[in-house]
Amino acid sequence: MEKIDLREKVLDAAEKLYYAKGFTAVGMDELRATAGVSLKRIYALFPAKTDIIAAVLQRKHNEWESSLHRAVLEAGTDAHARLLAVYNLLEQWFCSEEFRGCAFINAFGELGGTNPEVARIVKEHKADFQMQMAKFAKESGLSSELAYQLSLLAEGAQTTAAISADPQAAIQARAAAEVLIAASLRS
Amino acid sequence: MEKIDLREKVLDAAEKLYYAKGFTAVGMDELRATAGVSLKRIYALFPAKTDIIAAVLQRKHNEWESSLHRAVLEAGTDAHARLLAVYNLLEQWFCSEEFRGCAFINAFGELGGTNPEVARIVKEHKADFQMQMAKFAKESGLSSELAYQLSLLAEGAQTTAAISADPQAAIQARAAAEVLIAASLRS
DNA sequence: GACCTCCGAGAACGGTCGTTCTCGGCTCTG
DNA sequence: CAGAGCCGAGAACGACCGTTCTCGGAGGTC
């Protein structure tokens, strides 16, 4: 087994466990059992648990970024459709069985107050998302204020869908987004 | 010292510490030191740490509910102003030094996956908020869909303001809310 | 003063955490 | 086969957790 594969195995298990139960609630032994990788190997790959958490978040950030890009690309060239693609992506995500909110928001709540690196990664992730939305808006000739408001809707949908266990949040967010975009085009 | 005062002292300290650092990160000894109440007394008031957490959330829920009511009352009778009052309340909150997001969202992320009681309290809190918004909307002759969308904006503003450390989220949320309300009145 | 009750400070307890170490068996090389 | 290196399983370690217990002093009553 390659070193890189082992790393992925550990991160796969860590991502799943941390997301489902929270970070502190998952011990290294549970991670070892789920990943099927010995403690010795894990600590050869990562200096400490904190570094695994950071690596999980970094990988999740990259995955989110690329699936957002893909969703927008697949939405074609229509200004409306491109900006609304994010809400379709959210709806799909909200419907998955394991959905339990945004891992970054969860990480910020649990660790942001005591772990500055986690706080930084989460902040960068959300800043990146806002920048992407601003870019998509700009490409359609729409304002960055609108983009920011659309991202607020997306964030709100994530927490609401998680806590209320209700994927409808995505649909309502999209409906609101449509109104905001239409109003922005009119002005 | 009355029993009820001691209870409040413990909950005051717990609320502050849990909010700033997360729930698991704060031990009972730190709580004892900050509250100035001995462990013996704390365990006479609460069976276990879990119950303190639940009590903190319940109290926070009541406080939020009453300050929301107050904010809406003070906004007068204008339909716009009443619905927008919540965003002014949020802005005020976001500007406080210790602001670190919505305690319920944080609790859900950290404990929701393993502690069903916490998950329930958080869910009820958010359902209650949505109901309040729906009630305010109805009183102004506006739809419950609009109310739901306004609550999505409020939720998104809370996480965004916390993570990006940017109180502007409240202002943008309010601006978006104004557009949504205007569009709803027009139709 | 003698006795009782109360309570805070802090030790004690059992358990779990993150991290490291030991041991015994496996595989490869010559 | 002999020897050496490697690695997984799990023990070991020190720290800290939530919770309970002990001890000794403070204060009230006769």
Side-chain angles (χ1 to χ4, degrees):
Chain A
M1 178 91 64
E2 281 294 323
K3 188 176 174 183
I4 193 88
D5 294 333
L6 281 174
R7 203 185 139 91
E8 292 302 303
K9 268 178 76 174
V10 172
L11 291 180
D12 286 345
E15 179 172 335
K16 181 177 140 197
L17 291 173
Y18 291 160
Y19 183 61
K21 307 191 183 186
F23 296 92
T24 7
V26 176
M28 293 301 289
D29 201 63
E30 189 177 1
L31 176 58
R32 174 201 57 78
T34 304
V37 177
S38 74
L39 245 27
K40 211 180 188 176
R41 274 199 190 278
I42 294 179
Y43 277 98
L45 292 164
F46 303 94
K49 185 182 179 182
T50 284
D51 302 285
I52 303 180
I53 294 173
V56 164
L57 292 177
Q58 288 289 3
R59 200 177 66 154
K60 250 188 151 75
H61 171 70
N62 294 335
E63 284 166 2
W64 165 257
E65 209 175 15
S66 64
S67 55
L68 179 59
H69 260 94
R70 197 179 329 114
V72 171
L73 266 182
E74 286 171 1
T77 56
D78 181 62
H80 273 66
R82 285 170 66 85
L83 278 169
L84 294 177
V86 60
Y87 303 100
N88 296 332
L89 182 61
L90 288 180
E91 187 189 357
Q92 224 174 295
W93 180 29
F94 295 172
C95 288
S96 77
E97 196 56 49
E98 332 79 34
F99 177 69
R100 216 178 68 79
C102 169
F104 295 88
I105 294 173
N106 294 351
F108 183 85
E110 179 169 357
L111 307 172
T114 54
N115 187 328
E117 191 189 359
V118 168
R120 201 205 72 233
I121 293 173
V122 173
K123 186 171 181 173
E124 284 176 9
H125 168 72
K126 292 304 185 189
D128 190 80
F129 174 58
Q130 286 170 31
M131 274 183 50
Q132 298 295 330
M133 293 296 283
K135 188 169 75 99
F136 299 144
K138 193 177 180 185
E139 288 167 4
S140 304
L142 293 162
S143 74
S144 64
E145 278 82 10
L146 173 69
Y148 190 90
Q149 294 171 8
L150 296 183
S151 71
L152 290 184
L153 281 170
E155 300 294 348
Q158 287 173 64
T159 64
T160 301
I163 291 172
S164 311
D166 176 20
Q168 285 282 331
I171 286 144
Q172 287 297 330
R174 183 174 52 212
E178 283 173 6
V179 174
L180 292 180
I181 294 170
S184 180
L185 285 172
R186 197 177 310 121
S187 69
Chain B
M1 178 92 63
E2 281 294 322
K3 189 175 174 183
I4 193 86
D5 293 332
L6 282 173
R7 203 184 140 91
E8 291 302 303
K9 266 178 78 173
V10 172
L11 291 181
D12 286 345
E15 179 171 333
K16 181 178 141 196
L17 291 173
Y18 291 159
Y19 183 61
K21 306 191 183 186
F23 297 92
T24 9
V26 177
M28 293 301 291
D29 201 63
E30 188 177 1
L31 177 58
R32 173 200 57 77
T34 304
V37 177
S38 74
L39 282 174
K40 213 178 190 177
R41 275 199 190 277
I42 294 179
Y43 277 98
L45 291 164
F46 303 94
K49 183 181 177 179
T50 284
D51 302 285
I52 303 179
I53 294 173
V56 164
L57 292 177
Q58 289 289 2
R59 199 178 65 154
K60 250 189 149 75
H61 171 71
N62 294 335
E63 284 168 3
W64 164 256
E65 209 175 13
S66 65
S67 54
L68 179 59
H69 260 94
R70 197 177 330 115
V72 171
L73 266 183
E74 287 171 1
T77 57
D78 181 61
H80 273 67
R82 284 171 67 84
L83 278 168
L84 294 177
V86 60
Y87 303 100
N88 296 331
L89 182 60
L90 289 181
E91 187 190 356
Q92 222 175 296
W93 180 28
F94 295 173
C95 287
S96 76
E97 197 55 50
E98 331 79 36
F99 177 69
R100 215 177 69 79
C102 169
F104 295 88
I105 294 173
N106 295 350
F108 183 85
E110 179 169 356
L111 306 172
T114 53
N115 187 328
E117 191 189 1
V118 167
R120 202 205 72 233
I121 293 173
V122 173
K123 187 172 180 172
E124 285 176 9
H125 168 72
K126 292 303 184 188
D128 189 80
F129 174 58
Q130 286 170 31
M131 275 183 50
Q132 298 296 330
M133 292 296 282
K135 188 169 75 99
F136 299 144
K138 193 177 180 185
E139 289 167 3
S140 305
L142 294 163
S143 75
S144 63
E145 279 82 10
L146 174 70
Y148 190 90
Q149 295 170 9
L150 296 183
S151 70
L152 290 183
L153 282 170
E155 300 294 348
Q158 286 172 65
T159 65
T160 301
I163 291 172
S164 310
D166 175 23
Q168 284 283 331
I171 286 144
Q172 287 296 331
R174 183 174 51 212
E178 283 173 5
V179 174
L180 292 179
I181 293 169
S184 181
L185 285 172
R186 197 178 310 121
S187 68

